[in-house]
Amino acid sequence: MPNSIFEDKINKDLKIEPRDEMPDGYRSHLIRQMSQHAHSEIIGMQPEGNWITRAPSLRSKMILLAKVQDEAGHGLYLYSACETLGITRKQMIEELQTGKAKYSSIFNYPTLTWADIGAIGWLVDGAAIVNQVSLQKTSYGPYSRAMIKICKEESFHQRQGYEIICTLAKGTDEQKQMAQDALNRWWWPSIMMFGPHDKDSNRSEKALNWKIKRESNDSLRQSFIDKTVPQAELIGLKVPDDKLIWNEKTNHYDFGDIDWEEFWNVVNGKGLCNKERIEHHKKAHNEGEWVRKAAVAYSEKKLNKKVA
Ligand code: 3HC
């Protein structure tokens, strides 16, 4: 017998809405995860934005511009959905800039060549899609609805990235080597995106019980690997894992050990770009203050006109 309306709704796979009663732990778990998700979308704009002025054609520049703009929108949906839980945008930004809140480790790696932009779309957005398609079924209504909208745009992101990598893989030997080099550098950080192994996850059990997470880290990671390895092989690229082998019995790829020391170093601020990413965010946030002030002044003026 459920102890509360909340439990009854969770058991019946009904969405929890902002005005519903919910345990404090459910609320704080969502604020943590959703705000960090939003931070990841916004910080993720930096590595890609770095190549907008250097895109190799007008078409690729337009596509990259559209993608980076989409990521800003994803951050906006997620910040707005998170605000329904009672945290302000200001608090979330402060937590990001002071290091109290995390963002995805993957965005602390540098984008060295144009092939990296392809690898980000193909692998990072590919991993994000696997995670976010599952999150469409999350128990918190505003988060679930944000995921449904975001997933529609994410598939364009993955396809444009894979198109870049395919073009390079079919190009000159030097271009094919660029694509392989990008796969070598981005493969392992992409599978780290799914978080620690289930046995080492300090959050998963509650997340799964509250139906915030609908699949475990390892299950989502496995789905991503199973889907992505054939895409690499199709264009003649080699996944940088000597232990990768198809397992007929399990119908999945077996793969090598993840370097969790690297993962936690990056998560804990010692990655190649952590400092740069936050400094850039602070600079952009400060330079954009006048825009925020103007928008608030405009909306207040409009509101006063309506009231008068
Ligand atoms: N980067 C940084 N921190 C990570 C991480 C990663 N890749 N994976 C896990 N962590 C952190 C967790 O936040 C948690 O720390 P905290 O308690 O201080 O928050 C700790 O490591 C333990 O990890 P758990 O797996 O136990 O924690 P969660 O249950 O929260 O699972 C998660 C981690 C799978 C990332 C989950 O939070 C999640 O699904 N988040 C939503 C999706 C998301 O944030 N994706 C980030 C990428 S967004 C993106 O790629 C945009 C695309 O458009 C490019």
Side-chain angles (χ1 to χ4, degrees):
M1 191 54 188
N3 296 328
S4 67
I5 298 169
F6 169 81
E7 259 187 46
D8 187 42
K9 289 187 83 171
I10 292 289
N11 294 343
K12 289 178 181 160
D13 260 338
L14 297 173
K15 294 297 178 216
I16 305 298
E17 296 300 336
R19 290 201 176 91
D20 290 348
E21 60 146 40
M22 63 182 86
D24 290 347
Y26 178 81
R27 182 187 301 275
S28 58
H29 188 109
L30 279 169
I31 286 176
R32 173 192 64 84
Q33 176 167 328
M34 290 169 69
S35 60
Q36 292 183 165
H37 195 162
H39 297 332
S40 303
E41 300 280 2
I42 298 302
I43 297 290
M45 293 166 71
Q46 289 186 38
E48 293 179 302
N50 174 30
W51 275 86
I52 289 174
T53 54
R54 296 183 282 169
S57 70
L58 185 58
R59 177 180 179 273
S60 54
K61 185 195 286 274
M62 284 164 56
I63 291 172
L64 184 56
L65 265 171
K67 180 186 188 303
V68 172
Q69 190 180 337
D70 279 351
E71 307 299 8
H74 297 176
L76 188 63
Y77 305 145
L78 288 163
Y79 282 132
S80 304
C82 201
E83 284 166 346
T84 65
L85 289 157
I87 187 171
T88 65
R89 185 76 56 93
K90 191 168 179 294
Q91 283 170 300
M92 288 188 265
I93 299 302
E94 269 166 19
E95 287 184 359
L96 169 66
Q97 293 188 345
T98 56
K100 185 166 177 278
K102 295 182 169 75
Y103 57 89
S104 190
S105 49
I106 191 73
F107 297 122
N108 289 310
Y109 291 83
T111 44
L112 305 177
T113 71
W114 176 249
D116 286 22
I117 299 304
I120 287 180
W122 174 34
L123 301 175
V124 176
D125 288 80
I129 287 175
V130 171
N131 172 287
Q132 292 172 162
V133 164
S134 171
L135 277 172
Q136 289 179 121
K137 301 186 291 293
T138 191
S139 57
Y140 187 55
Y143 197 18
S144 163
R145 292 187 288 273
M147 283 296 101
I148 291 167
K149 185 159 174 56
I150 286 174
C151 284
K152 289 189 173 75
E153 294 169 340
E154 215 67 273
S155 25
F156 143 66
H157 297 175
Q158 194 270 355
R159 273 204 295 279
Q160 63 82 38
Y162 190 53
E163 184 192 62
I164 291 172
I165 289 289
C166 290
T167 307
L168 291 169
K170 285 186 296 195
T172 63
D173 289 350
E174 200 187 359
Q175 286 171 329
K176 180 161 184 172
Q177 187 50 49
M178 261 175 80
Q180 183 62 58
D181 171 52
L183 177 56
N184 293 345
R185 284 183 289 108
W186 289 90
W187 175 256
W188 289 102
S190 297
I191 64 175
M192 290 175 194
M193 282 174 69
F194 294 95
H197 284 309
D198 300 342
K199 63 180 175 50
D200 303 322
S201 162
N202 56 10
R203 299 281 189 180
S204 283
E205 192 185 345
K206 276 196 175 159
L208 290 164
N209 290 341
W210 280 325
K211 298 187 181 176
I212 292 172
K213 262 184 190 175
R214 301 313 304 267
E215 286 177 74
S216 76
N217 295 359
D218 285 328
S219 149
L220 291 172
R221 190 181 352 260
Q222 188 67 64
S223 311
F224 170 70
I225 291 170
D226 291 348
K227 187 177 87 157
T228 310
V229 170
Q231 292 170 353
E233 290 175 346
L234 183 69
I235 54 176
L237 297 183
K238 187 181 176 320
V239 170
D241 177 357
D242 297 339
K243 293 189 181 151
L244 189 75
I245 186 164
W246 181 254
N247 184 322
E248 289 298 340
K249 281 203 206 82
T250 63
N251 234 357
H252 292 297
Y253 281 95
D254 291 339
F255 56 95
D257 298 330
I258 295 171
D259 180 349
W260 292 113
E261 190 186 348
E262 175 185 332
F263 171 77
W264 287 114
N265 272 339
V266 175
V267 170
N268 293 324
K270 299 188 201 87
L272 290 170
C273 302
N274 297 58
K275 195 168 171 303
E276 174 192 335
R277 297 287 185 245
I278 295 301
E279 290 314 312
H280 181 93
H281 186 279
K282 284 178 183 169
K283 181 171 178 295
H285 190 71
N286 295 337
E287 287 171 357
E289 188 174 15
W290 70 272
V291 178
R292 293 192 294 277
K293 281 189 174 155
V296 168
Y298 176 72
S299 58
E300 278 167 359
K301 190 157 174 271
K302 264 185 85 173
L303 202 63
N304 295 341
K305 246 192 193 157
K306 267 198 195 138
V307 169

